[in-house]
Amino acid sequence: MNYLDFCRAREKCGVFRHEQFAVCHERVDPTSYMALCVEDVCTCGVTEPCHCEAISAYANECERNGVTIEDWSAMTACHVTCPPTMMYDDYGPPCRPTCGDPQGRSCPFSSSQYVAGCQCPAGRVLNNCQCITLDECPELNGD
């Protein structure tokens, strides 16, 4: 990586210094998250959104420590656009409920783990990349 790329990585990861993130600095030290962010950007390239994982991890750790960083994803270009029937959730289940497994019980991950990402709204399950109600599931309707 050349010096210019390193500067761009530092710029992308400099978001930790913004006042929007500063509200959390007393509870969660951003130093290691910023270092991981720069490393991620340097590893995958400055044109990819690799900085988002470290920033998301910091925002989630702040949340666990009682500090909410408002609209961090929009200000960091880490905003996720979900498919029309889905919604973004910072604390969603690690495995999505489906028609075949509406409770997500066959998931190999702990039910106490949460992941950020696109999820179906409550009361809906994933089927062919669409969120539908259980009574719309083809398996249950003989389709």
Side-chain angles (χ1 to χ4, degrees):
M1 169 168 281
N2 64 39
Y3 181 74
L4 184 58
D5 286 344
F6 179 75
C7 289
R8 287 183 184 139
R10 297 263 316 177
E11 181 182 317
K12 280 186 172 185
C13 299
V15 69
F16 291 106
R17 292 188 200 103
H18 291 173
E19 71 178 63
Q20 196 165 353
F21 283 78
V23 298
C24 186
H25 291 176
E26 283 186 21
R27 300 235 179 127
V28 181
D29 183 2
T31 306
S32 63
Y33 292 90
M34 187 167 182
L36 289 170
C37 181
V38 170
E39 183 180 325
D40 286 349
V41 173
C42 290
T43 301
C44 80
V46 294
T47 60
E48 299 296 320
C50 302
H51 62 293
C52 295
E53 189 170 328
I55 295 169
S56 176
Y58 182 75
N60 288 336
E61 188 61 27
C62 289
E63 187 79 33
R64 280 192 283 279
N65 282 276
V67 179
T68 300
I69 300 173
E70 300 292 333
D71 298 326
W72 68 266
S73 63
M75 75 165 281
T76 59
C78 296
H79 183 71
V80 176
T81 302
C82 294
T85 61
M86 301 180 93
M87 57 182 238
Y88 183 81
D89 187 356
D90 279 324
Y91 297 101
C95 297
R96 295 178 183 97
T98 63
C99 285
D101 185 14
Q103 303 303 317
R105 291 193 176 132
S106 64
C107 184
F109 302 102
S110 166
S111 61
S112 64
Q113 292 176 320
Y114 297 98
V115 296
C118 297
Q119 304 285 342
C120 289
R124 296 189 173 258
V125 296
L126 192 61
N127 184 62
N128 294 327
C129 301
Q130 296 282 322
C131 295
I132 61 175
T133 61
L134 268 176
D135 51 337
E136 293 175 304
C137 287
E139 296 91 8
L140 302 176
N141 293 317
D143 292 340

